[in-house]
Amino acid sequence: MPALRSLALPIAVAASMLALNACSERPTSFPDRDGVIAAQAEWCAALAKLQRAGASWEHLNACKAAYPTSSPTYLRAMTSCFSRRMEAATESSPDRSQIILECNDEVAVKLNPDEPTAAQVIESRCARMARCERVPVPACKSAFSKLEGAQRAMFTTIYNATGRYEIIDCLENASCTDNEEAGRQACYKPTSDALLWFPD
């Protein structure tokens, strides 16, 4: 299967962490799986349309078989934004990376960063900060809550359940580092890199 790729999102914040209990054995499926598959199909259709290929696009089956780490809500919003901006681009070869960055900014402000699904990620970040940097959990949570909503969403609700699981597992189980900002970022990077699928 082609690699899942996206522009890595900026991961830097004054709060970060590790959970009190290690993650249990990895689940075989997650409750939002059907939603992710449906949103991915819409993303694939949009990419095919941009290629003026429709159902005959050579990468359509590979695209539909891919499973990104983005939440259905994020992926649908990105599909709309990316398609609109790519269609509106006047140059013959628009800068895809720049458009993704612009769409991330547009989409993140519309997402709810306070969904219940965000709670465990925050718990894990704050537990890591307490373990690795001796920052009290209440202080960590307070700092996180003061971030702009779009920033909080970038750390939590842009990801689907599979993506959040991977992030939480890393935050809870990865060793502390001499540079904890980089250590926390490393826990997000593989998942951030798999938010959007593009053909190789």
Side-chain angles (χ1 to χ4, degrees):
M1 181 190 300
L4 294 174
R5 294 182 297 171
S6 80
L7 201 68
L9 299 174
I11 307 297
V13 70
S16 191
M17 322 110 190
L18 169 81
L20 301 176
N21 300 313
C23 278
S24 58
E25 185 176 340
R26 178 188 174 88
T28 56
S29 65
F30 294 90
D32 61 354
R33 179 173 178 80
D34 289 346
V36 174
I37 291 172
Q40 176 67 6
E42 294 174 22
W43 171 257
C44 297
L47 293 184
K49 184 178 179 181
L50 288 170
Q51 294 299 316
R52 307 294 188 262
S56 64
W57 187 41
E58 62 179 322
H59 300 293
L60 188 60
N61 289 337
C63 182
K64 288 183 176 180
Y67 193 81
T69 55
S70 49
S71 71
T73 302
Y74 171 85
L75 186 51
R76 286 193 170 97
M78 284 295 292
T79 298
S80 175
C81 179
F82 184 76
S83 298
R84 184 180 72 252
R85 288 177 180 266
M86 288 290 286
E87 290 282 10
T90 55
E91 61 269 31
S92 58
S93 298
D95 187 338
R96 187 177 77 185
S97 295
Q98 182 60 36
I99 288 176
I100 292 172
L101 280 174
E102 292 170 357
C103 283
N104 275 329
D105 291 341
E106 178 181 316
V107 168
V109 298
K110 300 176 182 178
L111 298 180
N112 178 8
D114 302 316
E115 291 179 2
T117 56
Q120 185 57 53
V121 182
I122 298 169
E123 290 290 340
S124 297
R125 288 179 61 87
C126 286
R128 182 182 179 95
M129 179 168 275
R131 176 171 64 98
C132 297
E133 300 178 83
R134 302 296 185 264
V135 174
V137 169
C140 165
K141 290 183 176 180
S142 176
F144 193 85
S145 70
K146 293 175 182 175
L147 294 174
E148 293 182 358
Q151 289 179 292
R152 299 201 307 278
M154 289 283 206
F155 288 101
T156 56
T157 55
I158 66 169
Y159 304 106
N160 61 34
T162 301
R164 292 192 304 272
Y165 178 92
E166 298 296 343
I167 293 166
I168 290 167
D169 184 58
C170 179
L171 290 170
E172 293 182 349
N173 296 307
S175 300
C176 298
T177 66
D178 292 336
N179 183 341
E180 264 302 291
E181 183 176 336
R184 296 190 304 269
Q185 183 171 348
C187 284
Y188 277 86
K189 190 177 188 307
T191 308
S192 294
D193 285 350
L195 279 167
L196 301 174
W197 183 95
F198 291 102
D200 286 334

